[in-house]
Amino acid sequence: MSVKIKRIYGDLLPDPKDGYRVLVDRLWPRGVSKVKAELDEWDKQIGPSNDLRKWFGHDPEKYPEFKQRYIAELDANPATPNFLQLIKEKTAAGPVVLLFGAKDETHNQAVVLQDYLAQHGIQ
């Protein structure tokens, strides 16, 4: 899969294998330098809405419903088609890393977004 996910706090220095690095959080991660993050893109609009993010609160028990709600937001989001096109173009040229700030590496929006991209033929 050429679309990977990675926690921005884990290893801030980009790996040469990362390829195109895009932060998919609506809020900038606390304590992370914008310079040291070396992002290619910060797509705030593709992250979950503030209401959904606050409701979820990274509670693993709420994850299945969070996933459904977030997919519904992505489907309704006018920024989604441009994001899909961008990632499709970038994966044609090399790997893409979706960066996120959540502590839980299994139950977060980047995991949902990676699956969403795959459902749209972008892997």
Side-chain angles (χ1 to χ4, degrees):
M1 187 179 258
S2 61
V3 177
K4 306 249 185 244
I5 60 172
K6 189 175 183 181
R7 187 167 187 256
I8 196 164
Y9 292 106
D11 183 7
L12 198 55
L13 296 175
D15 184 319
K17 298 175 193 166
D18 281 354
Y20 191 79
R21 293 167 50 89
V22 58
L23 178 65
V24 294
D25 285 354
R26 191 168 290 267
L27 302 175
W28 186 262
R30 284 187 198 158
V32 175
S33 161
K34 289 183 180 179
V35 173
K36 290 182 181 177
E38 293 189 39
L39 298 179
D40 294 297
E41 176 109 14
W42 175 21
D43 201 327
K44 305 176 222 188
Q45 296 176 331
I46 210 67
S49 67
N50 288 330
D51 289 341
L52 180 57
R53 185 179 51 77
K54 289 176 184 176
W55 170 83
F56 175 45
H58 298 286
D59 179 350
E61 291 184 18
K62 292 182 177 178
Y63 183 73
E65 187 171 345
F66 166 76
K67 184 175 179 177
Q68 290 178 340
R69 289 183 184 191
Y70 183 38
I71 288 170
E73 283 189 357
L74 288 169
D75 288 341
N77 186 340
T80 298
N82 289 338
F83 180 78
L84 292 173
Q85 184 61 36
L86 172 72
I87 301 304
K88 185 176 183 179
E89 290 171 6
K90 295 302 178 182
T91 57
V96 171
V97 173
L98 305 177
L99 296 161
F100 64 95
K103 290 180 185 176
D104 186 335
E105 296 187 27
T106 308
H107 305 98
N108 64 65
Q109 81 276 6
V111 174
V112 176
L113 193 52
Q114 184 183 39
D115 289 344
Y116 187 85
L117 290 167
Q119 289 173 1
H120 286 82
I122 305 166
Q123 297 184 357

